[in-house]
Amino acid sequence: MILGIGNDLIDIRRIERTLERYGERFLDRVFTEVERRKSDRRNQRAASYAKRFAAKEACAKALGTGLNRGVYWRDMGVVNLPGGQPTMRLTGGALERLKQITPPGMSPVIHLTLTDDLPLAQAIVIISAVPAGEAVQDGSSTPQT
């Protein structure tokens, strides 16, 4: 059962300018430590941050709140499942919202796809619910709980 869908498209050059202008202040405000470690290792650093920024925007839309009602940037972080597939790890207000929209007896699963093609980066998030205890496609559990 689909609980929410979100999509975001961002110009990578916008993130490049923001990194140049605000640097650490921007990174500390928006990204988790896991996201920072991963993006800082990339050759295309700005594109990596842009995809993660788009993922946060898309996730907030899928939650139905936007960056509002207690959902903050760092409450949503891009992580990878054991097989490498990206997903979102939610904490704080984002996790609380996820719990609110998940029906009783169900477990949430967050599907995420990321792409970039200079100058654009895009993310799509689909939040679904499966019967509690049901395995995710690759056999792992959801990383946000």
Side-chain angles (χ1 to χ4, degrees):
M1 149 192 324
I2 293 178
L3 303 176
I5 299 173
N7 179 40
D8 194 64
L9 184 68
I10 187 167
D11 190 318
I12 296 168
R13 296 168 296 190
R14 177 179 163 211
I15 296 297
E16 284 176 324
R17 288 189 302 270
T18 302
L19 287 168
E20 289 169 8
R21 184 169 181 185
Y22 298 105
E24 290 297 312
R25 196 169 76 176
F26 169 66
L27 295 175
D28 287 342
R29 179 173 179 239
V30 175
F31 300 98
T32 67
E33 287 301 315
V34 170
E35 291 173 311
R36 291 186 64 177
R37 279 194 305 272
K38 190 153 198 142
S39 293
D40 286 342
R41 289 192 316 251
R42 301 279 193 239
N43 286 337
Q44 299 296 319
R45 182 174 180 248
S48 181
Y49 276 119
K51 286 187 283 192
R52 283 155 179 74
F53 188 91
K56 292 168 186 284
E57 288 274 10
C59 186
K61 292 171 186 175
L63 288 169
T65 59
L67 290 158
N68 196 334
R69 297 189 344 209
V71 176
Y72 301 102
W73 291 110
R74 290 177 48 108
D75 289 347
M76 302 168 285
V78 176
V79 297
N80 295 91
L81 296 173
Q85 177 183 357
T87 188
M88 302 294 294
R89 174 169 289 141
L90 305 185
T91 60
L95 180 57
E96 287 306 310
R97 176 64 181 160
L98 181 65
K99 289 176 183 177
Q100 290 171 1
I101 66 173
T102 303
M106 304 290 270
S107 295
V109 178
I110 300 177
H111 305 276
L112 169 64
T113 185
L114 302 167
T115 191
D116 67 280
D117 188 10
L118 199 64
L120 300 174
Q122 181 181 31
I124 298 170
V125 170
I126 300 172
I127 301 175
S128 61
V130 297
E134 188 174 298
V136 181
Q137 288 172 341
D138 72 354
S140 66
S141 61
T142 56
Q144 66 273 358
T145 55

